[in-house]
Amino acid sequence: QMCIRDSLQDAYDLPTAGLGLVAGVAFVTAFIGYIWFSRYADRGHAKAMLIAGSLVGALALIMAAYARGLWTLVLARALLGLAEGAFVPAARRVVLDWSPGRPGEVLGRILAASVAGFALGPVIGVVLADRFGLRVPFLVPAAVLLIAVPVVSRLRAPGPIPIVEERSFFSLLGNRLVLAGVCIGAIEFATLGSFDAVWARVLTDQGASTIFIGLSFTAMALPLVVLAPRFGRLVDRRTPMLVATIGIVAVVPAVFSYGWLGAPAVLAAAGIVHATGSAALSPAAAALVAEGSPPEMVARGQGLLEAVGFLAAAATALPTGWAYETIGRTLWFSLL
């Protein structure tokens, strides 16, 4: 939907700086949702959180479909962030309960499944927008979420785990594994925040077509879909830190190159390298946090990981539109 958002900017004459606000507000509200809601997944309410997250997400997409200005889009993205903050830690709590001893693999599969939607979404969204208008790319995923609610309601969800010792949410950071995973996740999300805000605009300014932009998102998502489960299995067989190192070596130079490369095809190639690094970083970070979290705080650990990551993403996404217009992409991506 990033390329659709670029079309909305042209259709409703939204300022480029507003793109950072639209992208960043979802990161902020997701942060709040992860911090506040994840505890309830540990208390036996994972299924209710999955259902509520699906319904609120559908509402947010419907609002975005009928938005007529910047602030309606901001509100819709804010609700979408809250929905994610409820859904993701509950989903991770469920799959970790189903597959004990394989955190890297199962969390890598969750990442692959979520990114598969990201991979198909831009291309499908562009086709739907061209044929049926800008509302339809938002209404179709809203309908999918509503259809999924009866399926989610039949899942076997874990019950509450007795609390041995009442601990605060942020006490998890006292565990070195959790702290390492959170730091790795923050690095990944910080790069994705700036990417989310202006990638479509960067390619447009370099002469890329709307179709190319949609295909570039798909091309960059494919490594995540294919490689995240494989990196997850490597996490379980070897060590999360080894896999995280592979990810950092790929991500850092790719993000730096965004400020210097000109041809859209070369930029997309750098994005594929970036995505490959993210496919390693994400399961490594999640597995570290899962391993370091006590049994009664597994969902809260995953919520903390995502919350800090979204805070890092917001810190880069919010100023990216302004920075792109004022100091330019070369200096901005070099500073990142």
Side-chain angles (χ1 to χ4, degrees):
Q1 291 179 359
M2 286 180 275
C3 51
I4 300 300
R5 189 170 68 238
D6 190 53
S7 299
L8 288 172
Q9 180 190 15
D10 295 334
Y12 301 125
D13 195 27
L14 303 178
T16 300
L19 294 179
L21 181 60
V22 172
V25 71
F27 294 131
V28 173
T29 56
F31 170 82
I32 296 171
Y34 283 122
I35 293 292
W36 184 257
F37 295 133
S38 60
R39 70 191 74 182
Y40 297 108
D42 288 322
R43 296 174 182 174
H45 304 295
K47 184 184 294 186
M49 291 171 61
L50 292 173
I51 294 171
S54 299
L55 292 174
V56 174
L59 173 63
L61 289 166
I62 292 170
M63 288 181 60
Y66 291 94
R68 283 294 178 268
L70 174 64
W71 294 109
T72 309
L73 284 173
V74 168
L75 178 58
R77 286 279 289 185
L79 286 175
L80 202 59
L82 287 175
E84 182 168 347
F87 190 95
V88 172
R92 293 189 181 185
R93 177 72 178 83
V94 169
V95 299
L96 286 169
D97 181 74
W98 288 350
S99 303
R102 294 186 294 142
E105 181 178 355
V106 297
L107 293 173
R109 286 180 178 177
I110 281 190
L111 174 65
S114 63
V115 173
F118 178 89
L120 295 174
V123 175
I124 295 174
V126 167
V127 172
L128 291 175
D130 285 344
R131 292 182 62 86
F132 304 108
L134 289 176
R135 290 179 179 174
V136 176
F138 296 97
L139 295 176
V140 168
V144 172
L145 283 174
L146 293 174
I147 293 171
V149 169
V151 178
V152 171
S153 66
R154 295 184 177 91
L155 291 177
R156 176 180 60 82
I161 295 177
I163 298 176
V164 177
E165 178 186 354
E166 189 64 45
R167 282 175 280 190
S168 68
F169 190 92
F170 290 100
S171 68
L172 288 165
L173 291 174
N175 183 285
R176 63 182 181 83
L177 295 176
V178 174
L179 181 60
V182 167
C183 290
I184 291 168
I187 293 171
E188 179 192 4
F189 274 79
T191 62
L192 292 177
S194 57
F195 174 92
D196 181 67
V198 294
W199 181 252
R201 179 53 56 187
V202 169
L203 287 179
T204 299
D205 291 345
Q206 301 306 310
S209 66
T210 301
I211 294 295
F212 181 89
I213 294 170
L215 290 174
S216 74
F217 288 128
T218 302
M220 285 180 280
L222 287 177
L224 284 158
V225 175
V226 175
L227 297 178
R230 289 174 169 78
F231 278 124
R233 287 193 290 272
L234 184 61
V235 165
D236 294 331
R237 290 199 305 266
R238 302 293 294 274
T239 67
M241 291 306 300
L242 171 64
V243 177
T245 301
I246 295 171
I248 291 173
V249 169
V251 166
V252 172
V255 173
F256 180 80
S257 72
Y258 292 157
W260 298 87
L261 300 176
V266 181
L267 279 165
I272 292 172
V273 176
H274 183 180
T276 301
S278 291
L281 289 176
S282 186
L288 280 167
V289 173
E291 184 179 349
S293 300
E296 70 275 13
M297 299 183 74
V298 169
R300 272 172 284 187
Q302 295 300 310
L304 176 64
L305 170 64
E306 295 297 310
V308 174
F310 271 63
L311 187 63
T316 55
L318 287 171
T320 290
W322 170 85
Y324 185 82
E325 288 188 320
T326 54
I327 68 175
R329 71 181 176 102
T330 299
L331 180 56
W332 177 245
F333 283 110
S334 298
L335 290 173
L336 288 174

